[in-house]
């Protein structure tokens, strides 16, 4: 585990925090059975930190990431992110659990990035465009964004001959590297990673670890799930452990 630098831990601003987050899934086809996934999770992360979520299968790690991103709406609790809405007043805390959809989309455009396990993009769009697009959304000119996308793809060992092709027919490892490039290119202040190296060989895993460490050192606050201990030790400054929620403890609430 990389030790967090004490001076950074003291001086760096808090970027994302969660208070008492609960999430339950309602299974309508099974008579409305409720399956608890998260029960009172608290979390806080500062700029230049990387938190690794750890715990057994079923502990709710991916569910928590999706709640932090807003793909899942928490049933209880609060999730806040420090976001600059370009009004001139500077960064302020926004409650993502109660924010209008337009505000959540604005946060995702400039403040909050997410790399899922699988690449989901519009079919037939060239790889270079897919990777450059998040940077262009922030106002970077197209030519500059595409140049940066090409450099990132090259570093991730995606051959230039593939950049004009859509990634649908690429291998799983290639698609995952494109997904990582797309997630990292705009250097979001807060970055969520869901097993970003699960399909990669040792060489490409090392490249991704270096890119994640570089993003953290540049100031990103990162929360991630890492499928192997070596990757976790290479990128994380600390861990947060989750445990599966028992039905009894959930009903006690």
């Amino acid at each position: 585990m990389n030790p967090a630098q004490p001076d950074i831990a003291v001086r760096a601003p808090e970027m994302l925090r969660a208070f008492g987050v609960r999430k339950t899934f309602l299974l309508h086809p099974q008579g409305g059975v409720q399956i608890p996934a998260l029960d009172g999770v608290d979390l806080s992360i500062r700029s230049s930190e990387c938190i690794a979520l750890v715990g057994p299968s079923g502990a709710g790690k991916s569910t928590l990431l999706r709640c932090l991103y807003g793909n899942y709406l928490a049933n209880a609790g609060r999730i806040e992110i420090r976001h600059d809405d370009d009004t001139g007043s500077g960064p302020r805390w926004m409650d993502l659990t109660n924010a209008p959809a337009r505000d959540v989309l604005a946060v995702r455009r400039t403040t909050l990035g997410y790399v899922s396990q699988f690449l989901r993009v519009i079919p037939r769009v060239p790889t270079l465009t897919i990777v450059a697009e998040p940077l262009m959304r922030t106002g970077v000119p197209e030519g500059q964004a595409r140049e940066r996308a090409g450099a990132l793809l090259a570093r991730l060992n995606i051959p230039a001959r593939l950049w004009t092709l859509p990634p649908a027919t690429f291998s799983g490892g290639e698609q995952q590297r494109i997904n990582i490039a797309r997630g990292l290119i705009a250097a979001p202040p807060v970055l969520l990673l869901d097993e970003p190296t699960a399909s990669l060989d040792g060489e490409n895993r090392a490249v991704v670890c270096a890119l994640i460490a570089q993003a953290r050192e540049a100031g990103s606050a990162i929360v991630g799930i890492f499928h192997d201990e070596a990757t976790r030790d290479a990128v994380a400054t600390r861990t947060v452990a989750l445990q599966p929620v028992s039905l009894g403890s959930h009903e006690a609430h």
Side-chain angles (χ1 to χ4, degrees):
M1 195 72 59
N2 293 327
Q5 299 178 34
D7 57 334
I8 290 179
V10 171
R11 291 184 291 105
E14 196 177 22
M15 295 301 299
L16 180 69
R17 56 196 187 192
F19 307 93
V21 173
R22 297 175 65 199
K23 178 62 182 175
T24 300
F25 294 101
L26 184 63
L27 304 183
H28 293 284
Q30 298 185 25
V33 173
Q34 295 188 28
I35 304 298
L38 301 171
D39 191 20
V41 174
D42 298 320
L43 181 144
S44 174
I45 184 168
R46 295 179 180 273
S47 176
S48 297
E49 279 194 300
C50 179
I51 290 177
L53 301 179
V54 298
S57 177
K61 300 184 294 295
S62 290
T63 297
L64 178 57
L65 282 190
R66 293 186 179 106
C67 286
L68 295 176
Y69 193 62
N71 281 351
Y72 289 165
L73 180 62
N75 297 107
R78 192 167 75 255
I79 296 168
E80 297 178 343
I81 189 167
R82 191 185 294 273
H83 170 64
D84 190 341
D85 57 8
D86 293 326
T87 60
S89 58
R92 62 181 179 86
W93 286 107
M94 178 183 292
D95 182 359
L96 291 176
T97 46
N98 293 300
R102 66 178 181 277
D103 290 345
V104 174
L105 291 175
V107 168
R108 292 176 179 178
R109 186 163 52 249
T110 60
T111 302
L112 181 62
Y114 180 74
V115 177
S116 65
Q117 295 182 46
F118 307 104
L119 179 65
R120 297 180 179 89
V121 293
I122 299 173
R124 294 181 295 279
V125 176
T127 291
L128 193 67
T129 301
I130 287 170
V131 175
E133 191 265 341
L135 199 55
M136 289 189 287
R137 284 205 313 254
T138 67
V140 174
E142 180 178 356
Q144 185 178 339
R146 292 171 71 86
E147 182 179 353
R148 169 62 179 149
L152 200 50
L153 287 168
R155 186 170 176 185
L156 286 162
N157 299 313
I158 302 295
R161 59 183 170 79
L162 300 181
W163 296 356
T164 59
L165 303 176
T169 59
F170 293 3
S171 71
E174 288 169 336
Q175 289 191 29
Q176 190 166 39
R177 279 176 277 153
I178 293 165
N179 204 19
I180 291 163
R182 178 179 168 85
L184 292 177
I185 191 169
V190 181
L191 182 60
L192 310 176
L193 305 174
D194 192 351
E195 300 199 26
T197 62
S199 301
L200 303 185
D201 58 28
E203 178 184 356
N204 286 306
R205 189 181 304 122
V207 173
V208 171
C209 286
L211 287 170
I212 294 171
Q214 181 179 322
R216 180 185 60 77
E217 291 165 1
S220 289
I222 302 171
V223 183
I225 304 167
F226 305 102
H227 83 291
D228 68 277
E229 188 175 344
T231 299
R232 188 165 63 243
D233 288 346
V235 301
T237 56
R238 60 188 175 98
T239 61
V240 170
L242 300 179
Q243 294 295 329
V245 182
S246 68
L247 185 59
S249 66
H250 178 78
E251 290 178 338
H253 290 277

